[in-house]
Amino acid sequence: MQLKIMPKKKRLSAGRVPLILFLCQMISALEVPLDLVQPPTITQQSPKDYIIDPRENIVIQCEAKGKPPPSFSWTRNGTHFDIDKDLLVTMKPDSGTLIINIMSEGKVEIYEGVYQCTARNERGAAISNNIVVRPSRSPLWTKEKLEPIILQNGQPLVLPCRPPVGLPSPIIFWMDNSFQRLPQSERVSQGLNGDLYFSNVLPEDTREDYICYARFNHTQTIQQKQPISVKVISVDELNDTIAANLSDTEFYGAKSSRERPPTFLTPEGNASNKEELRGNVLSLECIAEGLPTPVIYWIKEDGTLPINRTFYRNFQKTLQIIQVSEADSGNYQCIAKNALGAIHHTISVTVKAAPYWIMAPQNLVLSPGEDGTLICRANGIPKPRISWLLNGVPIEIAPDDPSRKIDGDTIIFSNVQERSSAVYQCNASNEYGYLLANAFVNVLAEPPRILTSVNTLYQIIANRPALLDCAVFGSPLPTIEWFKGAKGSALREDIYVLHENGTLEIPVAQKDSTGSYTCVARNKLGMAKNEVHLEIKDPTRIIKQPEYAIVQRGSTVSFECRVKHDHTLIPTVTWLKDNGELPNDGRFTVDKDHLVIVDVSDDDGGTYTCVANTTLDSVSASAVLSVVAPTPTPAPIYDVPNPPFDLELTNQLDKSVQLSWTPGDDNNSPITKFIIEYEDAMHEAGLWHHQTEVPGTQTTAQLKLSPYVNYSFRVMAENNLGRSLPSEASEQYLTKAAEPDKNPATVEGLGSEPDNLVITWKPLNGFESNGPGLQYKVSWRQRDGDDEWTSVVVANVSKYIVSGTPTFVPYLIKVQALNDMGFAPEPPVVMGHSGEDLPMVAPGNVHVNVVNSTLAEVHWDPVPLKSIRGHLQGYRIYYWKAQNSSKRNRRHIEKKILTFQGSKTHGMLPGLEPFSHYTLNVRVVNGKGEGPASPDRVFNTPEGVPSAPSSLKIVNPTLDSLTLEWDPPSHPNGILTEYTLKYQPINSTHELGPLVDLKIPANKTRWTLKNLNFSTRYKFYLYAQTSAGSGSQITEEAVTTVNEGKMAGILPPDVGAGKAMASRQVDIATQGWFIGLMCAVALLILILLIVCFIRRNKGGKYPVKEKEDAHADPEIQPMKEDDGTFGEYRFLESDAEDHKPLKKGSRTPSDRTVKKEDSDDSLVDYGEGVNGQFNEDGSFIGQYSGKKEKEPAEGNESSEAPSPVNAMNSFV
């Protein structure tokens, strides 16, 4: 059996023949091995728009591969570029990359232009994109005289920035003289053009340092505009100022400061137009003035804003739509509103599109005589024009090839020969750009070769998937067969998953999956095979987990962690405390299976985790340790020392001093050590710090000092009983200032917004400053690039915000301390990232493989790292079951979420409902949140077995017939195909008769059985079936009537396994022998009562109580008042009895058994359940009770003798 691989996974049942895989004609996933002849392929090239740094040499990349190795040539501005004639231009060996040495001499402007690279060998020529080379520019601001601006409180204001035109465009931001960002709000904000807009000014807006900065990222330079001075005054102050300074001051506007409705500062008028390219970010802006400050709202007149792609920036003044598409064209309206009114502005948006691929041409490998096609399909607005080139030459002027036929965007090849090998270029272009793709046609005749390593060993943990690779190449394309075993026996397991790249997947590998597997690749030129080996390992398990412990302080605790693992794997057991490493403390001891902690302290409390790792898997288990106070002990009879006194400072130097003291009384316990503390009265007055410790026999200490600290010292003595009170403080000693000797710690760089980098650090304290004027030099640059460091000196703060950064780019950061005396040593460099933003792209190529009726496997393509725009957290699957219309009206659709950590590209969806319609989508998650959802994918789960019928009852019993009625299963789990009804009679000795099996159509819920035996009990078993199999059964019992007017009781239904006792009812009250028997029993009881009465009158004692205690005969025990059952009887439920099968040919006892004590003659010996009771007249009612049988029993032999109670129905 040969099975063709489809683009999706295909699940196959293995038969006696090998599983054969046909590879599709396009070998896009497998490249042609480099030792085979092949046309050139461009592997690396510079971007189309290549902006270079004029301070560095120009490097224009062009790399290609091919066999024979290709040669390279260049054109500049459409003509041949002879690099041999330009001494400044060289080409890398075995490469097409150009290096233009402008550092030594030459001007960068000379080398501006459009470059194109051609890689050529005997099989064809591949060309690069047109690479436009331009140098970056960061011009200075034009000098201008800026007059101070004076305006009335409440007026609007626009501060122009007008940055110089650079390449690329600069990033604009406003700061003050201290390099601090100016605060922005709904009232004050920066526009897209860089101007600073005030909806209305307030007195606190008065300042002289409104400075606009332009950051040119490419050259890492920042240009600064002249500061603008703004003064906000009242009306009276304004009049006085105008009179005094009319000649040299700019007065801004003459509007009243009274409240007013909104008007737009930008854009002007009631309507404007905006054009944007598909895939870009559409940014629309509306900024209004008014008093009070207006609020901005956005709507789309002819539709709704896309939820997952719409973002509001700049306090709702900017509307951004990412990944803009043709559907986003239309009219957008911004509305400015305050308490006095509202205005609106309409922006007409038109979305154009540069060409984008629908189907790019792919390399084509054919054998002589084969057919094939190259397809080049692109779209855009306007529609792009498709043109073909052959080896870099327009195909219209290329040599004719009879095997080639051009049909618009498709080239059709038939009966190709070796001379047909070439490189084809497809160019799709419109006024907004172009696409260029190289695709070669390589005509080869090659036998199969297997690219997977020989004798690869795969080691897999049991019950996990196993993937066995078989990567092949050949021309014509080979077929692949998989065999298992050295003798070449075909695969015979139940289920395999076959991938289009030749990989064989065992979804759940078991021990019997171990062995050798051979993949065989064949085409008409030959055959190749490769053997791989699979070993299945036992999973690692923790068979003895650590347990929760409560111990007293100072005691010892032990945690046990016993691991069972595959004997061929070596586990490594690691202990963690609170998910971190164990403390570096000798009190912690780890051996093979135990963690022991001696002298437990309060800090030892927490969660301890045992982690067992092998090379293939990892398991862990945790336990909590709680530390409590020890049992109180009597107070010591000795005391701590008295404080030292008479402190003296001598040998006072810049960085050291000698301290001496006199010890106090040790209070009968020798002093073991002295503790010296210091106070810095200049920086932290009143706060004492540990300086050093010396032995108890020493009364002097040489102390090391830090610069620029006003020291005071004190001493404490310590013995075995504790520490003394501190001594009196010594005299103060001020050391000289010096440059810092350390830099801030905990330097981090994390973005709070997508366009910034927040650099934070732990500042030095006053003691560490070493002198006055503590500041920090903050430096940063992008990690990936050769940019120079950008630095700024800030005051004694703990953070600095770098604005205008690209989203989620790695940066190198360092923070250096300095003071009035100089700089600290060179700080270490740490790495940070600019701010994350929500992912831009949804996972693609989402497809679902339904494994079984309750399990599905989802696959998706990973999102490109650049589109994630943050740290990849994982992928999240939303899935839900489609509801019918009635359910949707009652409640919303419940969506379930499964998150797969890291970069996984597939996952399993468990717990699905059989025979259901599901919908799902996938989203990528980063530290900022979720990206857009992929297009919904729908799938259906196959049928499963149904549940038991909801109910079963017997109606209309007659002498020889019974009618059964039932309700369908509450969970059919598919389409019911039929019902199966089984029944068998129960005779008077509890024996089960022959089993009858009936098939009933699925649309029936009522069935009448005829020709039954009269006055006979029957047991019924009913279950439903789908195409997946039979469901659970429901059972019932009933009796045909003795006559038409009387019927037996019907037991309640019981679904599932169990045993039952069949009770029986036969009307024998009118039988003569029965009446005689009852009279005899009554006469015996009367005689017994007379004898007891005579013995009591004679004074004799009848030891009733003693006999009851000795024999505990159930027949003479009193009856309980609460339930009427026999007194002192105990009924024990036995789980073991509940699950034993029925004995063949007999009825088993009830699931409740009666415990007999000393008496062997009890009514319980003859009864059949716990429900036996006496009526008021002394009659016994025997009723069937207990659980139903799990399965019907067959046979006529009985292992239980009949009893009198079994033989009769009731006493009357």
Side-chain angles (χ1 to χ4, degrees), residues 833-1126:
H833 280 83
S834 55
E836 297 185 63
D837 205 347
L838 293 175
M840 301 171 60
V841 178
N845 194 23
V846 177
H847 57 278
V848 183
N849 177 32
V850 178
V851 179
N852 56 41
S853 62
T854 61
L855 182 66
E857 184 175 18
V858 184
H859 285 255
W860 59 89
D861 288 345
V863 172
L865 291 179
K866 289 186 178 180
S867 300
I868 295 176
R869 303 200 296 179
H871 295 285
L872 174 62
Q873 303 290 327
Y875 291 86
R876 190 166 291 159
I877 299 179
Y878 287 74
Y879 64 103
W880 61 94
K881 177 184 173 184
Q883 305 286 343
N884 58 40
S885 59
S886 62
K887 290 187 178 180
R888 277 199 297 266
N889 293 335
R890 290 201 301 269
R891 59 186 179 90
H892 69 279
I893 296 177
E894 178 185 1
K895 292 188 176 181
K896 297 182 180 180
I897 303 173
L898 271 180
T899 301
F900 299 90
Q901 302 296 330
S903 57
K904 290 193 66 174
T905 58
H906 68 279
M908 307 295 288
L909 298 183
L912 303 177
E913 295 186 18
F915 202 60
S916 299
H917 185 76
Y918 280 89
T919 306
L920 64 78
N921 57 53
V922 185
R923 312 166 192 225
V924 67
V925 184
N926 66 11
K928 191 78 172 179
E930 294 180 353
S934 67
D936 288 349
R937 290 290 184 268
V938 297
F939 64 96
N940 297 305
T941 52
E943 294 188 60
V945 298
S947 62
S950 300
S951 66
L952 173 62
K953 59 184 179 180
I954 290 84
V955 298
N956 302 329
T958 65
L959 286 172
D960 62 349
S961 68
L962 290 172
T963 299
L964 286 76
E965 292 183 353
W966 62 89
D967 291 326
S970 58
H971 298 285
N973 294 336
I975 299 174
L976 297 182
T977 58
E978 64 181 4
Y979 290 96
T980 298
L981 174 64
K982 298 180 180 181
Y983 65 93
Q984 57 190 147
I986 306 170
N987 64 18
S988 60
T989 59
H990 307 166
E991 296 174 347
L992 298 174
L995 191 66
V996 180
D997 192 330
L998 293 178
K999 301 296 183 181
I1000 300 174
N1003 60 350
K1004 300 291 185 179
T1005 57
R1006 180 184 176 96
W1007 195 263
T1008 300
L1009 299 174
K1010 298 181 180 180
N1011 299 322
L1012 302 177
N1013 297 330
F1014 72 90
S1015 188
T1016 301
R1017 176 167 297 278
Y1018 285 89
K1019 185 163 187 178
F1020 302 93
Y1021 316 86
L1022 179 68
Y1023 53 87
Q1025 290 180 283
T1026 65
S1027 61
S1030 301
S1032 302
Q1033 68 181 17
I1034 185 172
T1035 64
E1036 182 61 276
E1037 293 185 11
V1039 181
T1040 54
T1041 59
V1042 177
N1043 53 59
E1044 294 296 338
K1046 183 161 181 81
M1047 65 172 287
I1050 299 175
L1051 294 176
D1054 184 0
V1055 179
K1059 298 174 297 181
M1061 285 292 295
S1063 67
R1064 300 167 41 79
Q1065 293 187 352
V1066 180
D1067 192 1
I1068 59 173
T1070 59
Q1071 302 296 318
W1073 63 270
F1074 177 79
I1075 296 174
L1077 177 61
M1078 289 298 98
C1079 292
V1081 171
L1083 180 60
L1084 290 175
I1085 294 173
L1086 180 61
I1087 294 172
L1088 180 60
L1089 292 174
I1090 294 173
V1091 171
C1092 292
F1093 182 78
I1094 294 173
R1095 286 178 59 87
R1096 177 171 294 181
N1097 288 341
K1098 289 183 177 181
K1101 294 183 179 179
Y1102 185 66
V1104 177
K1105 184 64 172 67
E1106 289 79 355
K1107 287 185 175 292
E1108 290 177 354
D1109 293 341
H1111 299 285
D1113 193 336
E1115 291 187 70
I1116 60 174
Q1117 297 298 318
M1119 297 180 64
K1120 291 185 179 180
E1121 296 179 359
D1122 54 351
D1123 58 2
T1125 58
F1126 296 112

Side-chain angles (χ1 to χ4, degrees), residues 630-636:
T631 304
T633 56

